[in-house]
């Protein structure tokens, strides 16, 4: 079929192909495509038309390396199956896109070796910066040693070395436990994924402080580690709730764990809230769709992500400024899953 455009090359079009089609040198083609340097307007129009005909896409990484800049950022999160981390990544992506950056996203699945491998890949691709939900201080230390700007989000291990965006986990966890105590519960279980990282440790600290201030000693049997997934949380919850001295209320330290408790209660025929009160840290869509709805701590994960991207942009612009930690607010959304303990 005859056409007015340039013949399409058998391979992906290169700058050399565009230059040949436009009848000019590669240096002139490069200036015309980038808008940097003088090119006669008629020549610029001819070059752009040839590029369009050939379907030429500029090699962004090569262009950035020539300019000694990179418009991509690395993002490391712990579990994209958890809607909190998916929303967090969405917040980062939206703000990055609006500022002309692209995002390289990695789910480390809570594994430190995967986390460090991703960090090494970000260094190799010369990422402009990295936003991470860190598993320890190791990943931030490594990136900083490579002169890569870092923002820790959700969890913070390196407040003295890099920026962070977090919420006050200990305070909101205390308020949740206070709520259950005010309803008359004294056997309140904490179902948690971990207590040695910042979010888990802080939520545990808030829970324990609430009990201590009420004169109730924390019972180690009511502090249950349940792993990262719904199935693990469900099994741990069944074991906990099937005991003769089972708790009358459960504070689930994230939305995945809360789902495990909710399913375990159904497995055992326990009614919420008549037989068991339930509160979740992290809201999720399903919690407002079930009956009764699940009382939950709502933190704006999208806002955490966009704020983290703002901090990263500030850090890129001002690399020698003192580290900044931004603390965002959260709220308890009361629904129908809490009530006073059943009188026996």
């Amino acid at each position: 079929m005859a056409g007015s455009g340039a013949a399409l090359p058998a391979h992906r079009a290169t700058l050399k192909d565009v230059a040949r089609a436009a009848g000019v040198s590669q240096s002139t083609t490069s200036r015309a495509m980038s808008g940097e340097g003088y090119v006669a307007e008629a020549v610029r129009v001819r070059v752009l038309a040839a590029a369009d005909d050939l379907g030429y896409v500029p090699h962004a990484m090569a262009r950035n390396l020539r300019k000694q800049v990179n418009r991509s950022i690395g993002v490391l999160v712990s579990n994209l199956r958890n809607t909190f981390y998916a929303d967090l990544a969405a917040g980062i992506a939206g703000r990055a896109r609006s500022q002309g950056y692209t995002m390289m996203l990695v789910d480390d699945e809570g594994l430190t070796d995967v986390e460090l491998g991703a960090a090494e890949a970000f260094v190799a691709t010369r990422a402009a910066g990295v936003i991470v939900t860190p598993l320890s201080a190791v990943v931030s230390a490594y990136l900083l040693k490579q002169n890569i700007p870092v923002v820790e989000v959700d969890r913070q291990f390196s407040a003295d070395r890099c920026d962070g965006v977090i919420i006050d986990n200990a305070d909101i966890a205390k308020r949740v436990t206070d709520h259950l105590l005010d309803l008359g519960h004294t056997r309140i279980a904490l179902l948690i994924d971990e207590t040695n990282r910042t979010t888990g440790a802080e939520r545990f600290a808030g829970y324990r402080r609430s009990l201590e201030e009420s004169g109730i000693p924390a019972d180690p049997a009511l502090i249950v580690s349940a792993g990262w997934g719904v199935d693990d949380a469900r099994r741990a919850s069944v074991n906990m709730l099937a005991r003769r001295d089972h708790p009358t209320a459960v504070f689930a330290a994230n939305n995945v764990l809360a789902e495990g408790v909710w399913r375990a209660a159904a497995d055992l025929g326990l009614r919420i809230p008549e037989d068991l009160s339930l509160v979740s840290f992290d809201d999720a869509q399903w919690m407002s769709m079930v009956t009764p709805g699940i009382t939950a701590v709502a933190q704006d994960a999208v806002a955490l992500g966009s704020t983290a991207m703002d901090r990263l942009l500030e850090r890129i612009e001002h690399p020698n400024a003192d580290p900044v930690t931004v603390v965002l607010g959260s709220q308890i959304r009361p629904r129908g899953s809490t009530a006073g303990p059943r009188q026996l």
Side-chain angles (χ1 to χ4, degrees):
M1 181 182 296
S4 58
L8 291 174
H11 54 277
R12 181 180 297 171
T14 65
L15 191 72
K16 184 177 181 180
D17 295 323
V18 177
R20 183 184 299 113
V24 296
S25 68
Q26 288 189 58
S27 59
T28 298
T29 302
S30 179
R31 292 197 304 275
M33 295 294 299
S34 67
E36 298 176 356
Y38 173 77
V39 177
E41 185 59 27
V43 173
R44 187 186 307 278
V45 169
R46 192 162 76 246
V47 168
L48 295 177
D52 185 58
D53 285 343
L54 293 171
Y56 172 71
V57 178
H59 194 313
M61 182 172 290
R63 182 179 62 216
N64 288 336
L65 290 176
R66 285 195 299 271
K67 295 180 179 180
Q68 296 299 301
V69 298
N70 196 333
R71 303 293 291 185
S72 65
I73 59 147
V75 176
L76 256 169
V77 299
S78 294
N79 181 7
L80 284 171
R81 289 171 294 180
N82 184 331
T83 56
F84 171 81
Y85 292 109
D87 288 345
L88 179 72
I92 297 169
R95 187 57 55 89
R97 187 167 52 249
S98 72
Q99 299 300 313
Y101 283 81
T102 57
M103 181 177 81
M104 299 179 287
L105 176 63
V106 176
D107 180 353
D108 62 36
E109 299 180 351
L111 302 173
T112 54
D113 56 337
V114 176
E115 179 186 56
L116 190 56
E120 291 171 347
F122 293 152
V123 171
T125 56
R126 294 177 171 86
V130 173
I131 297 172
V132 59
T133 60
L135 300 175
S136 71
V138 172
V139 67
S140 296
Y142 167 75
L143 290 164
L144 291 169
K145 187 176 180 180
Q146 300 294 326
N147 295 315
I148 302 291
V150 181
V151 175
E152 296 181 331
V153 62
D154 182 47
R155 309 186 193 106
Q156 188 177 37
F157 290 94
S158 308
D160 58 334
R161 300 194 64 198
C162 66
D163 298 326
V165 180
I166 58 174
I167 68 164
D168 191 340
N169 287 282
D171 177 69
I172 195 71
K174 180 183 182 302
R175 286 165 52 196
V176 165
T177 312
D178 287 346
H179 166 68
L180 294 171
L181 289 167
D182 290 344
L183 290 171
H185 295 279
T186 56
R187 290 190 59 74
I188 303 170
L190 175 68
L191 192 71
I192 195 161
D193 48 5
E194 49 79 21
T195 58
N196 60 342
R197 295 174 186 153
T198 57
T199 50
E202 289 165 4
R203 292 170 192 180
F204 173 58
Y207 161 84
R208 184 174 55 190
R209 189 168 82 238
S210 175
L211 294 176
E212 289 174 351
E213 290 181 2
S214 298
I216 299 174
D219 183 349
L222 295 179
I223 302 164
V224 179
S225 178
W228 290 82
V230 172
D231 291 340
D232 289 340
R234 186 177 190 170
R235 284 190 290 270
S237 298
V238 166
N239 291 336
M240 173 180 65
L241 296 174
R243 298 198 307 251
R244 181 181 296 275
D245 60 345
H246 67 76
T248 59
V250 177
F251 173 20
N254 66 44
N255 61 310
V256 172
L257 301 180
E259 183 178 344
V261 178
W262 184 77
R263 292 184 181 279
D267 293 340
L268 296 172
L270 297 175
R271 298 167 299 165
I272 296 174
E274 291 86 354
D275 302 316
L276 180 72
S277 286
L278 173 61
V279 179
S280 169
F281 205 114
D282 293 342
D283 201 2
Q285 188 175 19
W286 70 268
M287 295 180 185
S288 62
M289 299 171 65
V290 297
T291 302
I294 308 301
T295 295
V297 174
Q299 51 177 330
D300 190 338
V302 173
L304 276 169
S306 61
T307 304
M309 186 64 204
D310 286 340
R311 283 305 323 150
L312 185 59
L313 293 170
E314 284 288 325
R315 179 57 51 192
I316 292 169
E317 185 71 19
H318 304 287
N320 297 319
D322 291 337
V324 173
T325 296
V326 179
V327 182
L328 300 186
S330 57
Q331 59 179 316
I332 299 174
R333 288 184 178 161
R335 297 192 177 106
S337 64
T338 60
R342 182 163 60 92
Q343 301 301 314
L344 299 178

